[in-house]
Amino acid sequence: MREEELERLRAIVRDCVGRHEYASAMFYAGRVALATGDPTDIYMEAQALLLAGHHRRALHLLTSSPPLLRDLRFRCLAAKCLEELKEWHDCLTMLGEAKVDEDGNVISQKDSNMMNLDKESDDHEINILSAICLLRAKAYQALDNRDIAKQWFKAAVKADPMCYEAMECLVDNYMLTCEEEKKLLSSLNFRKEDQWLYAHYSCMISKHEKSSILEAKFRDLEEGTSGSSFSISPLNKSSKCNADLMACKAEYYYQCGEYQKCFDLTTAILEKDPFHLKCVLYYLVASVELDRPNDIYVMADSLVKNYPNKAVSWFAVGCYYYCIKKYSQARQHFSKSTSIEGTYAPAWIATCNTYAAQQENDHALTAYRTTARLFPGCHLPMLYIGMESMRTRNFKLAEQYLLEAKKKCPSDPLVYNELGVVAYNMKDYEKAAQWLELALNHVSFPLSELWEPTLVNLGHSLRKLKRYHKAITYYDKALALSSRSLSAFAGLAYTYHLMDKFDEAISYYHQALWLKPDDQFCTDMLNFAIEEDAQTRKDFL
């Protein structure tokens, strides 16, 4: 065959691949490879076979000439075939022996005679070594060796920061703590023109930063600028419509407790891109928090019809049953979600929450511990174990788990809030006040009604410490967020009562009883206040 004809057939193969006509690509690639015997053409044929779903045949072609496997591209493609065949041990063997340290640095590579014969691709493709690290990570993850998988995912993104899939796996599968994520990001070497990607990664891992800081990061990415530190690539000028970036923002709103903002943002995204699955996830969890079962039902029905083999589809069904308080049915569907994708953290956590909702304490604690082991970077299982222990009044154990949650995520205000509640129940009011003030300091947005109980509890703690004026300040702040807060009215009434300001106390007791006429504490204390006020007036006269 003449060279011009071969080039024409190679172009046809590329065109067929681009049009997803894999059978045709496989046919023409085979003709070219047979005519030339060139490694590049053999590689092209193997790619076509892999894309056409002929994984075993592609593997046989790649391994039939052992010298070719010295080329990293051939070795990597053969391992990819083994990944598709779920033959994980053979996949690792194909990639060769190597060791990696805890920071993701490859410290030993036994196959020193391997080479990359396609040097021209270095500047316009993801580093082949990064691709190999990623395959190793996937294999170890499939074999349930999550610690080693984490190290290889880190190695993949260190070898080439453009390996987005590795970074996404580390973040979405909660493999790293907040501090570990920041350390990894700071160790990556980005090219000047890729600084927009650094900003995107920074948004991915900044779930609990102050709103002013993170909003500025999102604004820079959306506007295609980055302030004075670096210049965002012009390619990113369309980021306002970038669903991946908006999904990060939705996750941030959810983590901060801004559920309505999360719901509104994901709704807007899904109108344009109705099957963006990460946005779907945060649409679902925000809908659960806002008690919108009808919206969840519609979404779940669409997902099951269109994506029956995706974990998020059955997670959506579970969310519907959870929202209508049918916890056993919810748990069945969450379990189906994890059977499809064993590393789907939302379904694992939701399964635990169904036990907690049914007050099955032992089952809930066991499930949370399992989830904590599967997702070592996620602080939520430790937080929920602390809350469950608190519910059974095991305050010492609750404090231990909450401190562990704080260690993993030192910026989540809910952790500090729960530590404050534990300290209050243990009658350590000074520590309770400190924890609750830290909780308020870590809230990312202006205080919403969600934080009214924190303000009330802080007021209670300060009242116990006889810092009455400061306690009144926090009760007033709680009422500013929720004008129907029985606890805040009762707290104000009792504080004024302790200060012998009976007129104010009686007024606030009445307002509390207007909200709940049968409240025994306020009824009794109102009578005492009236009697004491009358006695004081009598003594004065």
Side-chain angles (χ1 to χ4, degrees):
M1 226 184 262
R2 291 179 302 173
E3 185 60 32
E4 310 89 76
E5 181 63 18
L6 289 171
E7 277 301 321
R8 177 173 171 271
L9 289 178
R10 290 185 186 113
I12 290 173
V13 172
R14 290 191 291 270
D15 184 62
C16 289
V17 169
R19 296 175 186 275
H20 308 286
E21 297 173 3
Y22 299 130
S24 297
M26 185 174 64
F27 172 76
Y28 293 116
R31 291 295 299 271
V32 173
L34 183 64
T36 68
D38 187 274
T40 302
D41 292 328
I42 295 172
Y43 183 81
M44 181 175 67
E45 182 186 6
Q47 280 186 312
L49 288 167
L50 179 63
L51 291 169
H54 295 273
H55 308 127
R56 186 70 66 184
R57 189 177 166 194
L59 179 65
H60 176 73
L61 175 64
L62 290 164
T63 56
S64 59
S65 180
L68 289 177
L69 291 179
R70 290 183 59 206
D71 186 344
L72 286 175
R73 294 175 305 134
F74 280 79
R75 185 76 66 96
C76 189
L77 190 61
K80 188 71 180 175
C81 294
L82 291 164
E83 178 198 0
E84 296 293 337
L85 293 166
K86 311 298 182 190
E87 296 179 7
W88 302 111
H89 289 290
D90 290 340
C91 179
L92 289 171
T93 301
M94 179 60 66
L95 292 170
E97 291 186 43
K99 291 183 180 179
V100 63
D101 65 16
E102 291 184 359
D103 293 324
N105 300 310
V106 180
I107 55 178
S108 174
Q109 180 77 46
K110 294 289 182 67
D111 292 321
S112 57
N113 64 336
M114 287 200 302
M115 61 185 70
N116 181 10
L117 304 180
D118 189 20
K119 294 296 183 183
E120 295 180 1
S121 68
D122 288 351
D123 292 332
H124 59 267
E125 292 180 1
I126 290 177
N127 190 311
I128 188 69
L129 296 177
S130 177
I132 288 173
C133 292
L134 179 63
L135 277 172
R136 280 200 179 99
K138 288 180 176 181
Y140 280 114
Q141 187 176 52
L143 294 169
D144 284 331
N145 194 333
R146 295 171 188 266
D147 288 338
I148 301 298
K150 174 180 71 175
Q151 293 166 15
W152 281 111
F153 277 127
K154 289 165 74 173
V157 76
K158 276 193 165 188
D160 192 338
M162 299 297 285
C163 188
Y164 176 82
E165 184 179 356
M167 191 68 174
E168 186 179 45
C169 286
L170 286 167
V171 174
D172 289 353
N173 294 335
Y174 295 98
M175 291 185 166
L176 305 176
T177 64
C178 293
E179 291 305 314
E180 287 173 335
E181 287 176 343
K182 292 177 182 177
K183 182 180 177 183
L184 174 62
L185 183 59
S186 66
S187 71
L188 302 182
N189 294 316
F190 291 88
R191 294 182 300 181
K192 185 177 180 181
E193 59 270 29
D194 294 331
Q195 291 297 323
W196 66 270
L197 184 61
Y198 170 85
H200 188 95
Y201 285 167
S202 181
C203 290
M204 285 173 65
I205 69 173
S206 303
K207 300 181 180 70
H208 297 286
E209 280 194 17
K210 285 287 185 181
S211 60
S212 58
I213 297 173
L214 199 57
E215 289 287 353
K217 291 181 181 179
F218 283 120
R219 187 166 56 252
D220 288 345
L221 273 170
E222 290 167 6
E223 294 174 356
T225 62
S226 62
S228 59
S229 57
F230 53 74
S231 177
I232 298 293
S233 167
L235 293 174
N236 207 45
K237 292 288 186 180
S238 61
S239 284
K240 286 185 179 179
C241 302
N242 187 318
D244 293 321
L245 178 61
M246 292 299 101
C248 289
K249 199 170 190 178
E251 180 182 10
Y252 170 64
Y253 285 148
Y254 178 77
Q255 296 290 352
C256 294
E258 296 288 326
Y259 304 125
Q260 189 62 52
K261 284 186 177 182
C262 179
F263 179 81
D264 292 341
L265 179 58
T266 51
T267 299
I269 297 168
L270 294 172
E271 285 177 0
K272 296 179 179 179
D273 189 353
F275 296 107
H276 190 288
L277 298 185
K278 195 165 185 178
C279 284
V280 165
L281 169 62
Y282 289 102
Y283 174 87
L284 291 169
V285 292
S287 298
V288 170
E289 296 291 346
L290 297 170
D291 194 24
R292 303 178 70 108
N294 291 340
D295 294 312
I296 298 172
Y297 180 87
V298 172
M299 178 59 73
D301 181 63
S302 174
L303 288 169
V304 169
K305 286 178 181 176
N306 292 284
Y307 291 99
N309 296 320
K310 291 286 187 181
V312 70
S313 302
W314 301 103
F315 174 76
V317 179
C319 286
Y320 171 74
Y321 283 112
Y322 186 92
C323 204
I324 62 174
K325 295 180 170 54
K326 292 188 176 181
Y327 299 116
S328 296
Q329 292 95 319
R331 190 157 53 245
Q332 290 173 10
H333 289 92
F334 291 142
S335 296
K336 184 167 184 178
S337 179
T338 56
S339 68
I340 292 172
E341 186 179 335
T343 58
Y344 196 65
W348 281 100
I349 295 170
T351 300
C352 304
N353 291 345
T354 60
Y355 287 119
Q358 291 178 301
Q359 297 189 357
E360 295 183 21
N361 183 259
D362 290 339
H363 286 105
L365 290 175
T366 300
Y368 282 128
R369 289 189 185 104
T370 301
T371 304
R373 187 176 67 253
L374 291 174
F375 306 101
C378 184
H379 73 292
L380 294 177
M382 295 298 178
L383 171 61
Y384 293 145
I385 291 173
M387 295 167 75
E388 279 296 297
S389 301
M390 204 189 317
R391 191 172 63 80
T392 58
R393 305 195 67 78
N394 192 339
F395 298 118
K396 275 290 183 185
L397 186 64
E399 185 180 41
Q400 290 175 19
Y401 279 105
L402 290 170
L403 288 172
E404 185 63 28
K406 172 182 169 291
K407 184 178 177 181
K408 290 188 176 187
C409 185
S411 53
D412 186 352
L414 186 56
V415 175
Y416 294 98
N417 178 76
E418 297 305 311
L419 282 165
V421 174
V422 167
Y424 185 89
N425 280 284
M426 294 171 71
K427 303 188 186 306
D428 189 343
Y429 304 118
E430 188 68 52
K431 187 182 286 187
Q434 291 172 2
W435 285 127
L436 292 168
E437 285 177 344
L438 279 170
L440 296 173
N441 290 337
H442 280 85
V443 174
S444 296
F445 285 86
L447 293 179
S448 64
E449 191 172 343
L450 178 71
W451 298 103
E452 175 264 334
T454 305
L455 291 166
V456 170
N457 289 334
L458 181 51
H460 291 340
S461 301
L462 293 166
R463 189 195 73 231
K464 290 283 189 180
L465 294 167
K466 299 185 179 181
R467 300 173 191 167
Y468 298 132
H469 292 289
K470 198 170 181 181
I472 288 169
T473 300
Y474 284 105
Y475 288 134
D476 286 337
K477 288 181 178 179
L479 286 173
L481 298 179
S482 175
S483 60
R484 298 181 62 84
S485 172
L486 173 66
S487 298
F489 280 121
L492 274 169
Y494 190 45
T495 304
Y496 281 117
H497 194 160
L498 292 170
M499 296 169 71
D500 294 334
K501 293 185 177 183
F502 299 113
D503 289 342
E504 292 90 340
I506 290 168
S507 174
Y508 282 117
Y509 281 134
H510 277 300
Q511 291 183 68
L513 288 168
W514 181 78
L515 291 171
K516 188 180 180 185
D518 61 344
D519 187 86
Q520 193 62 49
F521 173 80
C522 289
T523 301
D524 293 343
M525 295 310 297
L526 174 61
N527 292 331
F528 287 138
I530 293 171
E531 290 174 7
E532 290 177 36
D533 185 41
Q535 185 63 45
T536 301
R537 292 176 188 275
K538 182 178 177 181
D539 292 344
F540 179 76
L541 294 172

